[in-house]
Amino acid sequence: MASEEAKTTSPATGMATGTATTAPEVPTGRTSGTGSTGSTDVTGGAGPARAATATGKPSPTRAWTTRLVIVGIVLAALNLRPAITSLGALLEEVRDGLGMSGTLAGLLTSVPPLCFAAFGSLAPRFARRFGAGAVVCGGMVAIATGLLIRPFLGGTVGFLAASALALMGIAVSNVLMPVIVKRWFPDRVGSMTGLYSMALALGTSLAAAVTVPVTDALGGSWRAGLAIWAAVAVVAIVPWIPLVRDRDTDAAGSERVPAAVRSQDEGLRITHSRTAWALACFFGLQATAAYITMGWLPQIFRDAGVPAGEAGVLLAVTMAMGVPLAFVIPRVATRLSHQGPVVVALGTCGLAGYAGLYFAPAGGAWAWALLCGISNCAFPLALTMVGMRARSSAGVAKLSAFAQSTGYLISIPGPLLVGVLYQHSGGWGLPIALMAALMVPQVVVGVLAGRDRTIEDEVARRAAAARAAA
């Protein structure tokens, strides 16, 4: 397993420097990487220490801005999943209100990973052009606008288009939030990533739990119940407005990326690594399970006779499992030379949860929700393995981009196929069997991705073998 990063502190800047790490304390998996000094990020921006005084103490203005960034990160993270889980809690009402078939409902639950794959890949380019703070601010505006207008546009097409707008904002913010963390808190990446992950899980579970009660309090209108989440996104815009002007700092630092890092990043042919492909497949299959759960789990419970409000709370419980386990799993994984046992344990919980949903969905609903929640924590494990399977910062960045973009593309058909099977079979037997069947290859590729090796070594060995054969 790769060694921990050896850090020193520059007396002039207070910034942590040192060798690139392949096993960060809590790897985000979505950070596009830094140079070897840790003071330049993917957006081209210099680190926050540029504004520090010569003694290493930040100015009062800088301290105030740092606190503002923390508030912005928390509020943004709270808004990265309610567009999805609030819809899952009211999916039956939305289907009836829009005259949507099961197949179209399945398409609707497939839109998030499609948008994440399509728009997320554009986030670094937008950040280089406008600055990461400006792009996240724009993302919050897109989320608020999409959530506000989607219930009132009328028709399935308008609903899908407005959902895509909100998901575009989520996608770019999703990718750039770890970049913001890396840039502003280079010596506290683990703690700030934990705070960000906790806020994300809290927003996910909160939307699932309270959407139905809030809808009932607003007169039973599903349109009002979905639109109310736009207010939370509007609040999240405010702390990012002062950070829009940070664009000049991003642009100014764009030429200081070390040439060695650029060369290493450009020379790494990641598609030649079997571990990279295994990790991408693992990421895609765990995302498939997560989006099927978020989109369809409440409906599974409701069709089994569970009241709508309780079904929403059960989804909230499933999502809330990510709050404590997001801290525990990365720490356990980094202490193991092979992450296969963790993959197997999570997969076993998933299979047990699906078996319960198949045989007694209402009788043991709380147990099945907990087991599915534990299984869905393959997401922080995937991000942890991204940080451990590459030796350099450039390698981590490239592996993260490859695994997530490819993984989200892999995850697109899953929720749609579940909707089709549900529509044509008239029940949940076949869809749940599909969910269980997909868990098997998830465990297999997860074990392969968890082996103690790096993508740089694999690519180098393949290149050497090719030269020898020539």
Side-chain angles (χ1 to χ4, degrees):
M1 191 171 73
S3 60
E4 298 290 336
E5 179 177 11
K7 292 184 178 179
T8 58
T9 303
S10 168
T13 64
M15 287 283 291
T17 63
T19 59
T21 179
T22 61
E25 179 186 9
V26 182
T28 64
R30 283 177 288 215
T31 307
S32 294
T34 63
S36 58
T37 65
S39 60
T40 306
D41 61 34
V42 74
T43 65
R50 282 207 321 148
T53 64
T55 62
K57 297 181 180 179
S59 65
T61 300
R62 190 67 186 186
W64 178 86
T65 305
T66 300
R67 288 192 289 268
L68 187 66
V69 172
I70 294 175
V71 173
I73 288 172
V74 172
L75 290 178
L78 285 171
N79 283 278
L80 295 182
R81 292 299 180 269
I84 303 169
T85 52
S86 63
L87 177 59
L90 295 174
L91 187 56
E92 183 174 321
E93 288 77 6
V94 173
R95 286 178 57 194
D96 294 341
L98 298 177
M100 192 181 299
S101 67
T103 301
L104 282 176
L107 175 63
L108 186 61
T109 57
S110 297
V111 168
L114 175 62
C115 289
F116 290 171
F119 298 122
S121 61
L122 300 176
R125 185 182 305 173
F126 290 157
R128 285 192 296 269
R129 175 65 177 85
F130 302 105
V135 176
V136 172
C137 184
M140 295 300 107
V141 172
I143 295 170
T145 304
L147 292 181
L148 181 63
I149 67 175
R150 75 172 177 176
F152 306 107
L153 289 181
T156 302
V157 174
F159 192 92
L160 286 171
S163 296
L165 176 62
L167 292 168
M168 177 182 68
I170 294 172
V172 296
S173 302
N174 228 10
V175 171
L176 293 179
M177 200 58 57
V179 176
I180 297 286
V181 169
K182 181 69 175 179
R183 178 186 170 196
W184 285 84
F185 308 98
D187 55 344
R188 288 185 287 163
V189 171
S191 59
M192 289 304 302
T193 301
L195 179 65
Y196 156 76
S197 300
M198 183 178 67
L200 190 150
L202 179 62
T204 303
S205 57
L206 189 65
V210 308
T211 295
V212 172
V214 167
T215 300
D216 294 339
L218 295 174
S221 170
W222 63 266
R223 288 183 168 85
L226 290 181
I228 194 68
W229 292 101
V232 183
V234 169
V235 174
I237 296 172
V238 177
W240 290 101
I241 294 175
L243 301 174
V244 170
R245 63 174 178 266
D246 206 35
R247 175 183 62 186
D248 293 337
T249 301
D250 288 341
S254 61
E255 295 180 357
R256 285 193 291 273
V257 178
V261 172
R262 288 200 303 267
S263 176
Q264 183 180 27
D265 193 8
E266 294 168 0
L268 181 62
R269 305 187 66 177
I270 198 166
T271 55
H272 288 183
S273 167
R274 293 180 180 179
T275 295
W277 280 106
L279 189 51
C281 292
F282 178 70
F283 194 98
L285 289 169
Q286 66 81 28
T288 299
Y291 285 111
I292 290 174
T293 299
M294 285 189 281
W296 289 109
L297 188 61
Q299 192 66 50
I300 294 174
F301 287 131
R302 292 180 67 173
D303 286 353
V306 177
E310 185 179 350
V313 173
L314 287 168
L315 178 61
V317 169
T318 301
M319 298 297 104
M321 292 302 297
V323 177
L325 292 182
F327 289 95
V328 174
I329 289 177
R331 284 162 173 76
V332 172
T334 54
R335 284 167 171 77
L336 300 174
S337 60
H338 193 312
Q339 289 71 50
V342 184
V343 172
V344 173
L346 296 178
T348 302
C349 289
L351 289 172
Y354 296 150
L357 291 174
Y358 187 93
F359 291 108
W366 288 90
W368 318 143
L370 286 171
L371 287 169
C372 289
I374 295 172
S375 178
N376 281 350
C377 288
F379 175 70
L381 175 61
L383 298 184
T384 303
M385 288 196 291
V386 166
M388 299 177 71
R389 296 287 84 86
R391 189 183 314 152
S392 66
S393 295
V396 170
K398 207 159 191 177
L399 178 59
S400 175
F402 176 75
Q404 292 201 52
S405 60
T406 305
Y408 280 128
L409 288 175
I410 291 172
S411 71
I412 291 171
L416 175 60
L417 187 54
V418 166
V420 171
L421 291 176
Y422 174 59
Q423 174 79 14
H424 291 282
S425 68
W428 286 105
L430 283 177
I432 293 174
L434 171 67
M435 294 159 66
L438 290 175
M439 186 58 65
V440 176
Q442 177 179 321
V443 170
V444 172
V445 295
V447 170
L448 293 175
R451 293 175 298 175
D452 186 12
R453 58 192 62 194
T454 65
I455 57 172
E456 290 91 348
D457 290 342
E458 288 187 336
V459 172
R461 282 196 300 267
R462 178 163 178 173
R467 286 193 300 268

